[in-house]
């Protein structure tokens, strides 16, 4: 079973995006840092090899509305739920059978996740893998992630990943997140944060398009996506994961 460790990527992305687009390089684990990649423009065509253009900061992001957006989980699964309650929510949302839900433990963070493969989580978007993460101390839901890639759907293409990313970004731009929390098209090592936004309680949504950059003429960098990751995070700054107490080593 493919291992998914979501928390470190989210923490790194949250802190690095706040520092600015160029500081975001190196935020994604197990990715080789691209030399000053720039993000795809908001209207970029959904195709592999699309040239990347300048990113947009929170102050520049269009479409931030006055209405308040609350992030309390994903569909029927709410932050703070027990594993049993989340499994019931998955059955309600996706008609998931018990044997279709897989579990895995993170030995470094001492968290636990349950995974489910969901066809057409996004209409016409291919099969995604959902991951529900339970905290080290609370044992309750602290994060929900969705991944689209060749590992989740052998038929998925770079064009489909671009299309999914553009559809989701457009959706989140109209959802009313805190204007000063919104970031779009921000470069990170090995990809682009297509969207990041937080609600009044600093619960966050992060949409990350990962891939490989290729140098072209006139210093253009072309991104070919390999995966699309979507995170709903209860506390991206201080997640409920195991950390060694200060002074032990």
């Amino acid at each position: 079973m493919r291992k998914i460790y979501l928390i470190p990527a989210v923490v790194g992305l949250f802190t690095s995006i706040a520092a600015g687009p160029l500081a975001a390089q190196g935020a994604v684990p197990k990715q080789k840092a691209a030399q000053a990649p720039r993000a795809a423009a908001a209207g970029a065509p959904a195709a592999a090899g699309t040239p990347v253009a300048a990113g947009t900061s929170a102050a520049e992001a269009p479409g931030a509305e006055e209405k308040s957006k609350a992030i309390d989980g994903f569909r029927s699964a709410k932050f703070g739920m027990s594993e049993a309650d989340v499994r019931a929510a998955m059955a309600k949302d996706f008609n998931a059978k018990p044997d279709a839900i897989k579990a895995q433990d993170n030995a470094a963070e001492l968290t636990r996740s349950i995974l489910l493969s969901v066809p057409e989580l996004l209409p016409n978007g291919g099969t995604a893998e959902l991951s529900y993460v339970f905290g080290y101390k609370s044992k309750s839901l602290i994060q929900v992630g969705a991944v689209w890639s060749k590992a989740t759907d052998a038929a998925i293409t770079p064009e489909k990943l671009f299309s999914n990313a553009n559809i989701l970004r457009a959706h989140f731009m109209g959802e009313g997140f805190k204007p000063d929390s919104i970031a779009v098209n921000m470069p990170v090592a090995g990809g682009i944060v297509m969207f990041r936004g937080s609600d009044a309680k600093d619960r966050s949504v992060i949409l990350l398009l990962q891939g490989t950059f290729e140098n072209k003429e006139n210093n253009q960098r072309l991104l070919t996506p390999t995966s699309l990751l979507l995170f709903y995070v209860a506390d991206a700054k201080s997640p409920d994961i195991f950390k060694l107490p200060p002074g032990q080593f």
Side-chain angles (χ1 to χ4, degrees), residues 194-232:
M194 301 292 285
F195 179 89
R196 197 219 78 191
S198 301
D199 67 6
K201 296 183 178 181
D202 286 329
R203 298 169 298 194
S204 302
V205 168
I206 300 172
L207 181 66
L208 171 64
L209 186 65
Q210 290 184 315
T212 57
F213 285 95
E214 182 181 359
N215 291 319
K216 291 294 184 180
E217 295 179 358
N218 301 320
N219 293 322
Q220 276 196 327
R221 298 186 63 81
L222 302 183
L223 174 68
T224 299
T226 55
S227 62
L228 178 65
L229 292 77
L230 172 62
F231 305 98
Y232 295 84

Side-chain angles (χ1 to χ4, degrees), residues 109-122:
E109 299 168 1
L110 301 185
T111 56
R112 176 177 170 86
S113 301
I114 53 176
L115 312 177
L116 177 67
S117 182
V118 180
E120 305 301 317
L121 179 66
L122 182 69

